[in-house]
Amino acid sequence: MTTDKQNEVIYLPLGNMDSEHCALIVDKGLAGVKGIESHKVELNNRRAAIIVENHEVVAEAIKAIQSLGYSVVTVKKTFPVLGMSCASCAGSVQTVTQAQLGVIAAEVNFATGNLTVEYLPNMTDTAQLQKAVQSAGYDLLVENETKQQETLESIHEKAVKTLKKKTIWAIIISFPIMVIGMFFMDMPYANEIMWALATPVVLWLGRGFFINTWKQAKHRSVNMDTLVASSTGIAYIFSVFNILIPEFWQQRGLEAHMYFEAAAVIIAFILLGKLLEEKAKSNTSSAIKKLMGLQPQTAFVVQADGTEKEIPIEEVRADDLILVKPGEKIAVDGLVVSGSSYVDESMLSGEPLPVLKKENEKVFASTINQKGSFRFKAMKVGKETMLAQIIRMVQDAQGSKAPVQRLVDKIAGVFVPTVIGTAMTTFILWIILGGENGLVHGLLAAITVLIIACPCALGLATPTAIMVGIGKGAEKGILIKDAESLELAKKVNAVILDKTGTITEGKPEVTGIQWLHNDDSAKTILFSIEKQSEHPLANAVVSYLSKVSYLSKVENFESITGQGVKANFNNEIYFVGNKKLLIENHIGIADMLQQQADEWSKQFKTVIWFSDSKQALSVLAISDKIKDTSAQAIKALQAMGIDLYMLTGDNEATAKAIAEQTGIGHYKAEVLPQHKADFVKALQERGNIVAMVGDGINDSIALSTADVSIAMGKGSDIAMDVAKMTIISSDLTKIPQAIKLSKQTVAAIKQNLFWAFIYNLIGIPIAAGVLYPINGFLLNPMIAGAAMALSSVSVVSNSLRLKWKK
């Protein structure tokens, strides 16, 4: 799967292709993909063989197959990359990985130090990917996740300790060199003392720069280490030459200058900059460390004989009965079976008030029990718990790239070669135009250009801000799945809100019921039909009729989208739903029931009908309380200049009442799921950036269509899977917070990129000596080294400011 290998056959393993008809559909789908030179769908092997122009086409082919409802078996993994020192290194690793046959997509995030790669498992594996990265002079950590984290922390800790020692020694040794070079150049043996002191700084403490440069050179590549090694190496060799053969310059009427102090101090400054950068980068991922630190280590499992046993968290299994004592952290996700207590869920939801948990209510891993005690049944353990999923989601999001970062990566990829070219041009121009001191000044200017140029500031500008922004969101109960959503949220100018479970509590209750005939058998049939439905309104009916017996003989249950349900019992068809359902099936409604329904509609209640195939048997009134924070959130969004729309499948009267109570100006009632998506598209066609907020399966199409999709955390798993953001607490006030967070993060990215570009655009010409003809100013290489170190640290520090912004 490479751009340089011709006629390579790529095999795409297909997960659910099981007939000739399926193969034909896939074949037609691939025929429509531009860039596929030839293809063949092999039903027996359940795969598609394609020959492509370049590897980007493979991703398009997979999208085409998936859009037809078939799956392509791929593996997506994240590996820590060892040995990267700048954004150019990240570009090299990404390029070499992307070029491997079988790799669909590869992204390297320099700030996190991770490579995220999606590949075809039938064509490559982790060993081959590691080998490819090693060939470029780097390495991948490919151990299992737990061991990988431990190893990575150990490697990072050791590297920071070593870097700290090197930095301290470089500063201690460089200081006397700088003092001698600046104030005591005429003292006896000054040059020899500086040579003796500079040698261990450049060749021992700074040896990493030279080793990495050599590795890159072997692979015909360059990075930031190349700039540092070239500049300090030239300064050091030039100074040694001048000590050993000073007459070379003296015979030409020139002074033999020494630049030992420049070489040593530059190494010291750059090591200091790297140390500060590493510490700052570790602070940007503090949100993940906090989340990981929340995980409890043990749990009390209730044995079959009723005794309690404390076991490591790794040994807890689904269906285990777990005891939670006062003040303890809850071990895993589960369902309360006995007892009750208030639980602090602030680490998940961002809400400070504890929540009462009683029988049949869900509890979540790492939330903190208050004063009571209860037992619960383990439902989700290990990687399946909500906390584990949040950690994984935040890690994936922090590793993702914002669209602006892709442009920055391209610039960083050509940055180092451009700087080396600029330094050589500077040297040549100084020799030609610089007069008698042209060679010395040219060499000094070239060294300064190599030192001052910093691709790291460019490479860190976007990902550090993204990491802090997404981490801050997670701490506030706002889960953001990728960098693109975080970047796009600031542009949102239209928000669509679902009603049930989004604006309202999503816990509808039956407030009234009117029967045509007070018949117990009809109640039993209604209860048995609604028992099979997953709709929130059906749950309200089931809860209301909970003392009625259940009939297992109800058959042919069918959900009718946007209208209700129907089912059979004793050869009779029964309907439960809105009035439209009854009208379409020509069912009669008695005046008594219609009058009651009209009265409830005036009270803004949702009206549900129950009928057989001939007439309505009863009418029910259901109401759903508006959340306390909904009106406040809607007001905040309107104050931000955002247009608000409410879409609901409920009736016109209820929709109008909710809109009036919350201050929403635009609403649509009796909307089908597909029509929600059509409404999103209509707003987008008018030039709006649309955010869709929902909580149910019926919202999933609209969520996937919207520019920014936001799911309520207490809603369906499908909605949360589709959405790019999840509000864990289901509190609408988190949405304006998310938009403000997006604005703050994007502002930090723009500030970072501005300073990174301006620094290089101004710094490189000054280093080259552009001011020398005007005022005789030539930048000292030592100051250039300090400026380079400061540029990276300032970018990361600016990102960290996000942590303390409201």
Side-chain angles (χ1 to χ4, degrees):
M1 190 188 298
T2 64
T3 52
D4 56 348
K5 292 184 181 178
Q6 296 298 313
N7 300 324
E8 287 284 9
V9 181
I10 310 298
Y11 293 102
L12 305 177
L14 304 173
N16 54 345
M17 185 180 69
D18 51 13
S19 69
E20 286 287 352
H21 177 68
C22 297
L24 191 63
I25 291 171
V26 173
D27 187 74
K28 284 183 179 177
L30 290 172
V33 179
K34 289 181 181 178
I36 295 181
E37 295 177 358
S38 64
H39 69 276
K40 182 183 178 184
V41 179
E42 302 172 0
L43 178 60
N44 292 340
N45 296 322
R46 287 197 178 189
R47 68 184 186 184
I50 60 174
I51 296 176
V52 297
E53 290 175 3
N54 57 63
H55 72 265
E56 284 88 357
V57 178
V58 177
E60 293 303 316
I62 290 171
K63 280 182 190 173
I65 293 168
Q66 289 171 338
S67 70
L68 298 168
Y70 299 95
S71 61
V72 178
V73 181
T74 65
V75 174
K76 190 174 183 179
K77 286 188 176 181
T78 299
F79 304 105
V81 184
L82 306 178
M84 291 196 301
S85 60
C86 69
S88 295
C89 302
S92 299
V93 174
Q94 184 168 307
T95 302
V96 78
T97 308
Q98 186 72 71
Q100 298 310 300
L101 196 65
V103 171
I104 298 160
E107 277 194 351
V108 177
N109 187 312
F110 174 54
T112 59
N114 288 336
L115 162 69
T116 301
V117 59
E118 186 177 6
Y119 61 90
L120 299 167
N122 59 317
M123 300 203 70
T124 190
D125 56 28
T126 52
Q128 289 182 48
L129 295 174
Q130 185 182 33
K131 195 175 177 183
V133 172
Q134 285 171 340
S135 73
Y138 307 94
D139 201 0
L140 290 184
L141 207 56
V142 295
E143 295 164 336
N144 69 64
E145 202 170 313
T146 308
K147 198 174 178 185
Q148 188 184 81
Q149 190 64 34
E150 289 172 1
T151 308
L152 187 62
E153 283 177 7
S154 171
I155 290 170
H156 184 261
E157 201 175 305
K158 190 177 175 184
V160 170
K161 276 185 181 176
T162 305
L163 183 58
K164 192 175 181 180
K165 283 180 185 175
K166 282 184 178 179
T167 305
I168 291 167
W169 277 110
I171 291 169
I172 290 169
I173 300 170
S174 298
F175 183 73
I177 304 175
M178 185 175 69
V179 171
I180 293 169
M182 293 175 77
F183 304 110
F184 302 106
M185 275 300 294
D186 297 327
M187 66 178 273
Y189 304 107
N191 292 341
E192 286 76 6
I193 293 168
M194 286 195 294
W195 183 12
L197 290 172
T199 300
V201 175
V202 176
L203 302 183
W204 180 249
L205 299 173
R207 71 188 184 283
F209 298 115
F210 296 94
I211 292 167
N212 290 336
T213 299
W214 173 244
K215 282 181 182 176
Q216 292 300 310
K218 285 196 294 184
H219 300 288
R220 297 179 184 178
S221 182
V222 288
N223 65 1
M224 191 196 79
D225 292 332
T226 311
L227 301 181
V228 177
S230 303
S231 55
T232 55
I234 290 166
Y236 180 81
I237 291 166
F238 183 67
S239 301
V240 171
F241 176 84
N242 289 352
I243 278 187
L244 298 176
I245 316 173
E247 58 271 14
F248 178 85
W249 302 106
Q250 291 162 0
Q251 288 168 3
R252 290 161 176 78
L254 299 171
E255 189 181 343
H257 290 281
M258 301 296 151
Y259 295 104
F260 287 121
E261 80 281 6
V265 172
I266 287 163
I267 294 282
F269 270 133
I270 290 169
L271 287 173
L272 178 63
K274 276 184 167 289
L275 180 64
L276 294 173
E277 185 184 306
E278 284 300 320
K279 289 198 169 184
K281 275 163 67 179
S282 69
N283 283 336
T284 62
S285 60
S286 63
I288 285 287
K289 290 172 185 171
K290 278 183 189 173
L291 288 170
M292 287 179 166
L294 292 171
Q295 295 171 311
Q297 302 303 310
T298 61
F300 284 97
V301 175
V302 180
Q303 307 290 301
D305 60 1
T307 58
E308 301 157 14
K309 184 183 178 184
E310 188 175 13
I311 64 170
I313 197 76
E314 297 82 15
E315 294 178 18
V316 176
R317 298 289 176 262
D319 294 331
D320 279 353
L321 189 62
I322 296 169
L323 172 69
V324 183
K325 297 175 182 178
E328 283 187 346
K329 283 184 180 178
I330 292 167
V332 294
D333 292 5
L335 204 66
V336 177
V337 295
S338 65
S340 66
S341 180
Y342 280 92
V343 174
D344 179 358
E345 293 187 338
S346 58
M347 50 73 64
L348 285 180
S349 64
E351 299 299 320
L353 293 176
V355 182
L356 178 63
K357 298 291 180 179
K358 49 188 188 292
E359 200 172 325
N360 290 326
E361 293 207 353
K362 290 180 180 176
V363 290
F364 301 101
S366 304
T367 54
I368 302 167
N369 181 31
Q370 302 292 288
K371 295 178 181 179
S373 179
F374 59 89
R375 294 181 179 191
F376 73 94
K377 185 168 82 169
M379 305 292 284
K380 292 181 178 179
V381 300
K383 292 182 184 178
E384 300 303 313
T385 66
M386 182 179 275
L387 180 66
Q389 288 172 359
I390 289 170
I391 290 169
R392 191 157 59 247
M393 197 185 291
V394 174
Q395 282 176 326
D396 289 345
Q398 287 186 335
S400 65
K401 287 188 179 180
V404 68
Q405 180 63 21
R406 292 180 175 89
L407 174 64
V408 175
D409 286 348
K410 287 180 182 177
I411 295 168
V414 297
F415 185 87
V416 175
T418 303
V419 169
I420 291 170
T422 304
M424 290 171 69
T425 305
T426 299
F427 181 62
I428 293 164
L429 287 173
W430 267 103
I431 290 174
I432 296 169
L433 306 172
E436 61 178 17
N437 290 322
L439 180 63
V440 175
H441 285 164
L443 190 65
L444 199 64
I447 289 167
T448 311
V449 167
L450 290 171
I451 291 162
I452 204 166
C454 185
C456 289
L458 282 174
L460 291 166
T462 303
T464 51
I466 291 292
M467 284 175 74
V468 175
I470 286 170
K472 187 177 179 182
E475 288 173 7
K476 298 288 181 185
I478 304 164
L479 286 185
I480 302 162
K481 278 189 183 176
D482 60 27
E484 191 169 351
S485 296
L486 183 62
E487 189 179 339
L488 194 58
K490 76 172 281 290
K491 298 178 184 176
V492 166
N493 53 17
V495 173
I496 299 171
L497 300 168
D498 172 51
K499 179 182 75 73
T500 307
T502 302
I503 295 173
T504 64
E505 293 282 1
K507 294 176 183 175
E509 295 176 348
V510 175
T511 57
I513 186 165
Q514 177 72 51
W515 292 93
L516 184 63
H517 307 293
N518 199 7
D519 183 0
D520 287 343
S521 64
K523 291 178 184 177
T524 306
I525 294 166
L526 173 60
F527 175 79
S528 303
I529 292 170
E530 292 290 68
K531 186 83 172 170
Q532 295 187 41
S533 175
E534 292 181 356
H535 198 281
L537 298 182
N539 293 337
V541 176
V542 169
S543 179
Y544 185 78
L545 299 172
S546 58
K547 292 178 182 177
V548 174
S549 57
Y550 175 65
L551 294 170
S552 59
K553 292 180 182 177
V554 171
E555 298 171 337
N556 301 327
F557 177 88
E558 182 186 339
S559 177
I560 302 163
T561 305
Q563 294 185 5
V565 298
K566 73 175 184 177
N568 286 20
F569 177 71
N570 283 348
N571 298 320
E572 177 62 82
I573 299 173
Y574 292 90
F575 298 91
V576 186
N578 56 25
K579 193 175 178 181
K580 191 187 286 186
L581 179 65
L582 271 62
I583 291 168
E584 288 189 3
N585 288 280
H586 311 292
I587 291 162
I589 300 172
D591 290 342
M592 176 184 70
L593 296 181
Q594 186 61 62
Q595 285 169 11
Q596 183 64 72
D598 291 343
E599 192 177 320
W600 281 333
S601 292
K602 287 174 187 174
Q603 295 169 17
F604 312 122
K605 293 181 179 180
T606 301
V607 175
I608 299 294
W609 295 87
F610 170 52
S611 78
D612 58 20
S613 59
K614 301 180 188 68
Q615 63 180 348
L617 301 176
S618 78
V619 62
L620 299 90
I622 296 176
S623 64
D624 187 7
K625 186 188 169 191
I626 295 172
K627 291 176 187 172
D628 295 336
T629 55
S630 291
Q632 178 191 337
I634 287 160
K635 197 174 178 182
L637 288 166
Q638 288 169 335
M640 294 167 80
I642 294 169
D643 294 327
L644 285 164
Y645 303 84
M646 182 183 76
L647 302 184
T648 176
D650 215 332
N651 63 63
E652 175 72 21
T654 305
K656 184 181 179 183
I658 297 289
E660 285 176 355
Q661 288 176 55
T662 54
I664 295 175
H666 311 281
Y667 69 90
K668 285 188 81 173
E670 298 179 12
V671 181
L672 297 174
Q674 182 53 50
H675 294 161
K676 287 185 182 181
D678 293 339
F679 190 80
V680 171
K681 286 177 188 172
L683 287 178
Q684 289 170 329
E685 283 166 9
R686 283 191 240 158
N688 288 304
I689 304 297
V690 182
M692 172 70 198
V693 187
D695 74 321
I697 295 169
N698 62 329
D699 300 317
S700 57
I701 304 169
L703 285 167
S704 61
T705 308
D707 300 294
V708 177
S709 47
I710 304 170
M712 296 288 105
K714 292 178 182 175
S716 75
D717 290 343
I718 292 174
M720 284 186 275
D721 285 344
V722 171
K724 293 295 175 69
M725 289 189 191
T726 299
I727 308 299
I728 296 174
S729 65
S730 296
D731 178 357
L732 278 182
T733 56
K734 299 289 182 184
I735 295 170
Q737 285 182 29
I739 293 170
K740 284 175 186 171
L741 178 64
S742 169
K743 288 179 178 178
Q744 289 171 353
T745 306
V746 172
I749 290 170
K750 286 180 178 176
Q751 289 160 7
N752 288 349
L753 289 174
F754 173 80
W755 288 114
F757 277 112
I758 286 294
Y759 163 79
N760 282 296
L761 287 172
I762 294 173
I764 291 173
I766 290 173
V770 74
L771 296 177
Y772 190 80
I774 301 166
N775 57 14
F777 178 78
L778 199 59
L779 188 66
N780 189 311
M782 290 188 293
I783 296 169
M788 181 210 177
L790 191 63
S791 66
S792 292
V793 176
S794 63
V795 161
V796 179
S797 301
N798 188 50
S799 295
L800 286 171
R801 284 195 314 121
L802 278 171
K803 277 188 174 187
W804 297 286
K805 280 193 176 183
K806 288 186 180 179

